[in-house]
Amino acid sequence: MKVLKFGGTSVGSEKSISAIIEILKQETVENGSPVVVLSAMGGVTNLLSAMATKAASGESFIEYLSELQNRHFDVIKALLDVPRQNPVFTRLKLYFNELEDILQGIASLRELTPRINDLVLSYGERCSTLLVSKIAEQHFGEAVFADATELIRTDSNFGQAHVNTELSEMLIRNFYQEHAGKLIFVTGFISSNDEGRITTLGRGGSDYTAALIGSALHSEAIEIWTDVNGMMTADPRMVKKAFPLEELSYTEAMELSYFGAKVIYPPTMIPAFLKKIPIVIRNTFEPAFPGTVIRHDCRDAKHNIKGISSINEISLLNLQGSGMVGKAGFSGRLFSLLAREQINVILITQSSSEHSITFAVKPADALNARKLIEREFELELEAKKIDLPVIEDSLSILAIVGENMKETPGISGTLFQALGRNGVNVRAIAQGSSEYNISVIISRHDLAKALNAVHDAFYTDLKKTLNVFCLGTGNIGRTLFRQIGEHRDFLQKQNGILINVIGVSNSRKMAFNEEGLNLDNLQEALFESGEEADLDLFISRMKEMNLPNAVFVDNTASPLPISRYAEVFSSNISVVTCNKIGNSSDYAQYRNFRDLAHKHGVDFYYETNVGAGLPIIRTLKDLMMSGDRVIRIEAILSGTISFIFNSFKGDASFHDVVKLAQEKGFTEPDPRDDLSGMDFMRKMLILARDAGHELEQSDIRIQNILPQSCLEAQSVDEFYAELLANNDYFEQIKKEAEANGKVLRYIGKLEDGKVAITLQMVDDSHPFYMLSGSDNIISFTTDRYKDRPLVVKGPGAGAEVTAAGVFSDIVNVGA
């Protein structure tokens, strides 16, 4: 036989009680009649507690009492046939009358003792269990209602009674034997002392009742039916990727429960642990799901940890001073004092020098704990041997749990790397010698981010989520969003990466969605429902969301976002940019960005600064990281100029070639913005800096392609007129090159720490001779590639390849 326990959500409505009946029908067919333990209807225990509090303060509780009665009566009307209703109405009405008399007594005395509070709370389980047992009779013919106050004996520690296990097991066995073969419904949570006074079993009491009954009857299993699919890898309210665990050991389940996993409570497992009875966590609303099995003989786990648990609100007390060093019994005095006052210490850590002890308690206990310490150690405080205890609030505990941890090196490293990379500061650390658990105390503000980051780090077979905040919705931005949408499935299946675009802004509008914006109609949504763009607010909102693996993407050509990079890095957010201004301005700024990214453990990627989608920056970094030495770099890094000189041959005039380049969209509205070589200069400067040279823009020599009169023209039309006027100058250059079997190339060169960009004539022995169209090309001559340089060649301009470069940089964040 089995013991089935149903929690408050499972008996909270007509629909959920109907679900219980269906589960019991299946169970009785497959395994015979179980023992069923029930909690109060969802929210009723809190309602009863509120009534008692109101009565003790002289306030009216009648409205709450009426609500309590109506909830139960509505279920009777909905689920019981009319001829069966009156007897149940009568029994419940007797309970409600008793409860009202008790509350009136509390109101008269203006006093609410723990004993009377337990009595008031007991009506929740008694009403729900009676109600469900009568509904079950309608379906099963006979059902037995059992009041657990007659089965479970405890001491008189009201509110958290301790069970007389031997006597309780005897009473349970006797009752079960008297009603063998019948469907038995037992009230959870409540019990009684030797005088017959009602007591309660405290937090998780109904689970404890089920475990006691299962242990007494040596049941096949104890099933805890709730509203989730089992024990989860993390709190699903904060970690969307959390998934149910197939099985846990008793130790793992107790560790997870202790650190906040509220599906089951540690005392519940002790009776089952002693008898090696499996505990199964099932979902009332998804009965086909197998749930989580807690057993003593677990199979080898797939992951290094079983789960991540958390306690949302704790306070930290730190006690330190020279008077603690080598002082035998100091810790004993401290923790005995707290134990006497019923203050539960959640976590303890002590420095190896014995100079300080740090411990965590519930926030409600923190002030009382400090007062007790100040009183107990008054002499030490006066003598300055210890300092006044310090309280830190707004903290949380995150704990990773698993029996495999003790056999797996690098667990701590994975945990702290995930936290550090996301800017989560650890206030205290505790690890037991059993190595089943590593616990860290962090800021409450960082808990959700920390849980998600750690979950991604340990469950690597799941998708890594990158949360992207993007500036710019022009050609590159729009193309990037399309590429992300088109490759979403491939990235998830092949690379295990999910890119969520959380925020987008252009110069007019911005929009946010923490679940991820819909990229299919982003432009329309931004225009129709986006709020007014504000860069300061955009950055602020991104920081406030505090998401793990956040990436700030700058697809603009504006200097404004550059001024915020330092703030972004300092918020532990990676930066991906195609904006060249940041890396090609002052060297001090260039250096500062790298130092900040390194300091905060985030990435700074800017591959598209130099060659759009070509792997130029990455190739250079790989060469240098592997110990190679760069002798010389030669490059053509302007798609516009490349196209112009590749087309400037035969009968074509320079004027016509530039005009064609503009018509094809290869140039800026004013072609001189490209032909001046300034964009080329920025790219060469970035390459030189990445090669280790501290250069400024003024250090780069640029040979002008254009005569001075072309540069000084007052308009684009005048510029084209000057090109025609200087046609002989360009023709002479072209003919000289052709006469020598050479072609014209505008080449940037880095050698001996110096950079020059010049118009050159190269023959067919040069790697740049065969360049065509608007391609870019770069040649690396290094110690390893001395005789035959390493050449990277391909499209160096255009929204498609530039967006692809940005996309690649995003995917590599955190890799």
Side-chain angles (χ1 to χ4, degrees), residues 540-606:
S540 176
R541 194 85 58 84
M542 177 175 66
K543 290 164 59 179
E544 286 169 6
M545 286 185 177
N546 204 27
L547 297 174
N549 303 318
V551 187
F552 177 72
V553 179
D554 179 9
N555 282 329
T556 75
S558 167
L560 293 177
I562 308 295
S563 65
R564 309 305 295 273
Y565 283 9
E567 181 183 353
V568 173
F569 286 129
S570 299
S571 302
N572 294 90
I573 296 171
S574 296
V575 173
V576 169
T577 181
C578 63
N579 189 337
K580 291 184 282 289
I581 297 174
N583 283 321
S584 59
S585 297
D586 294 343
Y587 180 82
Q589 176 176 273
Y590 166 91
R591 185 73 259 163
N592 185 46
F593 288 164
R594 275 141 197 79
D595 291 344
L596 285 171
H598 179 75
K599 176 182 177 181
H600 294 280
V602 293
D603 293 316
F604 181 31
Y605 290 145
Y606 47 90

Side-chain angles (χ1 to χ4, degrees), residues 245-320:
L245 294 160
E246 289 185 21
E247 61 178 19
L248 293 166
S249 70
Y250 292 116
T251 304
E252 289 169 334
M254 290 183 76
E255 290 279 359
L256 286 170
S257 300
Y258 180 75
F259 283 97
K262 296 178 181 178
V263 175
I264 197 168
Y265 298 94
T268 303
M269 286 175 277
I270 295 171
F273 182 90
L274 296 173
K275 299 281 181 69
K276 295 185 178 179
I277 299 171
I279 299 172
V280 188
I281 313 298
R282 303 286 298 275
N283 189 343
T284 305
F285 308 100
E286 286 190 46
F289 195 85
T292 301
V293 181
I294 302 169
R295 64 170 91 235
H296 75 284
D297 55 346
C298 279
R299 296 164 295 179
D300 290 340
K302 180 181 178 182
H303 299 100
N304 292 333
I305 67 170
K306 276 291 178 69
I308 309 163
S309 197
S310 55
I311 300 176
N312 291 3
E313 293 286 351
I314 61 109
S315 292
L316 202 62
L317 278 87
N318 188 51
L319 194 60
Q320 64 181 22

Side-chain angles (χ1 to χ4, degrees), residues 746-765:
Y746 196 49
I747 299 174
K749 183 167 75 170
L750 165 66
E751 191 170 20
D752 298 329
K754 297 178 181 179
V755 178
I757 302 172
T758 58
L759 184 61
Q760 300 180 30
M761 301 179 189
V762 301
D763 60 24
D764 56 8
S765 65

Side-chain angles (χ1 to χ4, degrees), residues 207-240:
D207 291 353
Y208 196 14
T209 304
L212 289 167
I213 294 172
S215 175
L217 301 178
H218 298 277
S219 65
E220 176 191 336
I222 299 164
E223 294 185 353
I224 309 294
W225 290 80
T226 179
D227 57 355
V228 293
N229 282 336
M231 294 279 274
M232 308 289 281
T233 50
D235 187 340
R237 294 168 299 182
M238 288 189 274
V239 181
K240 302 300 183 186

